[in-house]
Amino acid sequence: MTATPEPSRPATFGVEAAADQAIAAWGGDAREAVKALLVAVDFLEAETDELRTNVSKGYARGRLPGARERKDEADV
């Protein structure tokens, strides 16, 4: 007997509540909440870049194309 898969929830599920929580964390100031989230995204991107450069090429096996490009740019 084959089970019918349930439709997945929309990607926006919970986003409204998370947005409200972020704004509330900054005392209701949406601009400050957005600035804090931008800083967090920047930090996470930097962490991702660092991890990509530190992962061995044998382990990644070409799955991280950005790492090679960054290495080439650093050699210039």
Side-chain angles (χ1 to χ4, degrees):
M1 182 183 216
T2 306
T4 305
E6 291 184 31
S8 61
R9 292 181 171 166
T12 58
F13 180 77
V15 173
E16 291 294 326
D20 291 340
Q21 289 175 350
I23 293 169
W26 289 98
D29 189 346
R31 183 176 176 84
E32 289 299 316
V34 169
K35 287 169 36 178
L37 292 171
L38 290 172
V39 169
V41 167
D42 189 48
F43 171 77
L44 293 172
E45 286 177 346
E47 286 288 308
T48 301
D49 288 343
E50 184 177 341
L51 291 171
R52 282 185 178 174
T53 57
N54 290 335
V55 70
S56 74
K57 291 181 182 178
Y59 179 77
R61 295 185 190 234
R63 288 179 276 187
L64 304 174
R68 183 177 298 153
E69 294 168 7
R70 280 190 298 282
K71 183 178 178 186
D72 291 341
E73 291 173 5
D75 292 339
V76 174

